[in-house]
Amino acid sequence: MSLIRVGVYASNFAEAITAAGELLVEAGHVKPEYVSAMVRVVEELGPYIVIAEGIALAHASPGDLVSKNSISLVVLENAVDFGSGKMVKAVFAMAATDHSAHIDALGELATLLSDQEFLNTVLNASDTAHIASRLTLVLGE
Amino acid sequence: MRIVAVCGLGYGTSVILKNNIEKALKSLDYEGATVEAVGVAEARQLGAMANIVVTTEELVPLLEGLNAEIIAIRHVIDIAEITKALEKALL
């Protein structure tokens, strides 16, 4: 599962988001500019994308920079500060071709992350296979 | 009752927030509310017509001046937190 990577080193939020975004670039789902746009969102608006304790959902606006609806995940070696002391250990990067796309996957992800046990599984993941099976519905093929 | 869920872009965070607000309303047995997910820019226009604006802590300063009651949520994934805040605002 190439859309998940664990044990990733990042020294700040920009590197963490970029690491997650690069998985989407490598898969051919987004253009590199999409990754810098995701970083810019946090630079401009702050850490509001930290949707759960230790978890960020990075994304930019849907549109031309996206060729396929997709979500990737990196689990960091060490948590990094996304601003206001909000420490993040895992970053999901989401890309959608338009505003109505991918809503189901988003709902599925939200449901999964509201389960504390699953949250802990993601935050402490040391191998991709372990979390990949639970994320199949979210990440798609 | 018109509730607006706001995030930076009106996509992603606010969609999760909208889903969870709907779940919270259901658990409170509150009917007759519409919930929309929008971005900050749109919220500044729509907010004038909304009764309640729900957003994340960081975005509150960007929404100052709106007539609607503004509810700040720490984690949009946290349905218990959202339910508690809505209960206080609605009942």
Side-chain angles (χ1 to χ4, degrees):
Chain A
M1 176 70 74
S2 60
L3 288 176
I4 302 178
R5 197 165 288 168
V6 302
V8 172
Y9 177 77
S11 58
N12 55 46
F13 76 80
E15 285 179 19
I17 293 171
T18 302
E22 270 169 3
L23 295 180
L24 299 178
V25 176
E26 283 165 21
H29 296 169
V30 303
K31 295 206 171 104
E33 292 87 337
Y34 186 81
V35 179
S36 33
M38 288 195 296
V39 173
R40 220 154 42 234
V41 168
V42 178
E43 285 170 352
E44 286 169 8
L45 296 168
Y48 81 89
I49 64 165
V50 180
I51 58 170
E53 198 73 51
I55 306 263
L57 176 65
H59 63 89
S61 292
D64 294 344
L65 298 173
V66 180
S67 54
K68 187 171 187 290
N69 298 325
S70 47
I71 295 177
S72 66
L73 166 66
V74 295
V75 181
L76 303 173
E77 215 175 271
N78 298 299
V80 297
D81 190 354
F82 265 55
S84 316
K86 287 196 168 174
M87 302 304 287
V88 168
K89 183 81 193 312
V91 181
F92 287 90
M94 183 182 67
T97 52
D98 65 70
H99 270 85
S100 58
H102 230 207
I103 300 284
D104 291 346
L106 206 51
E108 178 72 25
L109 181 61
T111 305
L112 278 172
L113 292 177
S114 58
D115 173 5
Q116 189 63 44
E117 192 197 324
F118 178 75
L119 209 61
N120 291 338
T121 305
V122 170
L123 292 174
N124 301 308
S126 54
D127 69 281
T128 54
H130 195 53
I131 36 180
S133 60
R134 302 260 334 245
L135 283 169
T136 315
L137 280 174
V138 174
L139 299 178
E141 76 269 46
Chain B
M1 177 60 64
R2 189 170 183 179
I3 301 175
V4 177
V6 180
C7 77
L9 304 171
Y11 186 77
T13 311
S14 60
V15 173
I16 292 179
L17 188 53
K18 173 180 184 277
N19 282 352
N20 286 343
I21 289 170
E22 283 166 351
K23 284 180 189 164
L25 290 172
K26 208 166 192 176
S27 75
L28 292 171
D29 276 326
Y30 190 91
E31 285 171 15
T34 61
V35 188
E36 297 146 273
V38 302
V40 168
E42 210 182 334
R44 293 216 61 92
Q45 298 156 6
L46 261 184
M49 292 169 283
N51 303 101
I52 296 177
V53 171
V54 187
T55 191
T56 59
E57 292 167 340
E58 294 82 11
L59 299 181
V60 170
L62 299 176
L63 296 169
E64 261 168 23
L66 289 182
N67 266 332
E69 176 170 1
I70 296 179
I71 296 178
I73 298 294
R74 184 165 166 80
H75 289 133
V76 300
I77 211 82
D78 190 345
I79 297 179
E81 182 189 359
I82 295 169
T83 308
K84 210 168 146 190
L86 281 175
E87 187 173 25
K88 207 171 139 204
L90 291 170
L91 309 176

